[in-house]
Amino acid sequence: QVQLVESGGGMVRAGGSLRLSCAVSPNTFSINTFGWYRLAPGKEREMVATIRRDGFPAYADSVKGRFTISRDNAKNTASLQMNSLKPEDTAVYYCMGSTGHAYWGHGTQVTVSS
């Protein structure tokens, strides 16, 4: 059973940075694709970024050039570096790991004030 636990959320002013981490147990080796998704009040869940086993990333247009997704199999983690944050980035951010079956963390709140 894969378990994912997010950390690193918080409150930051517009233009600031946060780094989200996703700790994976038992390990990342069974994870083909990691993804970060977000859910804002009144909006549908949105894919933010994904990264394949070979390290190939993909990003939503709204975060390209500002966010960077990474995975570290040695540390059993996936991360999302978020720079130049905007108020519209405010949401609960969820880590997803896919083995063919999608596993989800419980989410971490990111709040960006103007």
Side-chain angles (χ1 to χ4, degrees):
Q1 184 79 2
V2 175
Q3 292 186 329
L4 307 174
V5 179
E6 303 95 339
S7 62
M11 183 177 294
V12 65
R13 290 195 175 187
S17 299
L18 285 173
R19 184 177 180 86
L20 304 183
S21 292
C22 177
V24 183
S25 62
N27 56 59
T28 60
F29 295 112
S30 62
I31 305 294
N32 296 316
T33 300
F34 276 107
W36 286 95
Y37 291 73
R38 65 188 181 188
L39 182 62
K43 296 185 178 181
E44 295 186 352
R45 185 176 63 189
E46 175 187 22
M47 185 280 288
V48 176
T50 61
I51 186 167
R52 300 185 325 202
R53 181 183 294 277
D54 62 5
F56 186 84
Y59 298 94
D61 287 343
S62 59
V63 306
K64 280 181 180 176
R66 300 188 297 124
F67 291 10
T68 303
I69 189 171
S70 61
R71 62 187 290 169
D72 187 334
N73 290 334
K75 295 182 178 179
N76 295 319
T77 59
S79 298
L80 184 70
Q81 178 66 42
M82 306 186 295
N83 298 328
S84 301
L85 282 160
K86 303 176 181 180
E88 51 262 44
D89 295 318
T90 295
V92 178
Y93 284 70
Y94 297 88
C95 178
M96 185 282 298
S98 175
T99 64
H101 174 83
Y103 296 89
W104 295 88
H106 292 294
T108 185
Q109 177 71 46
V110 171
T111 302
V112 185
S113 62
S114 57

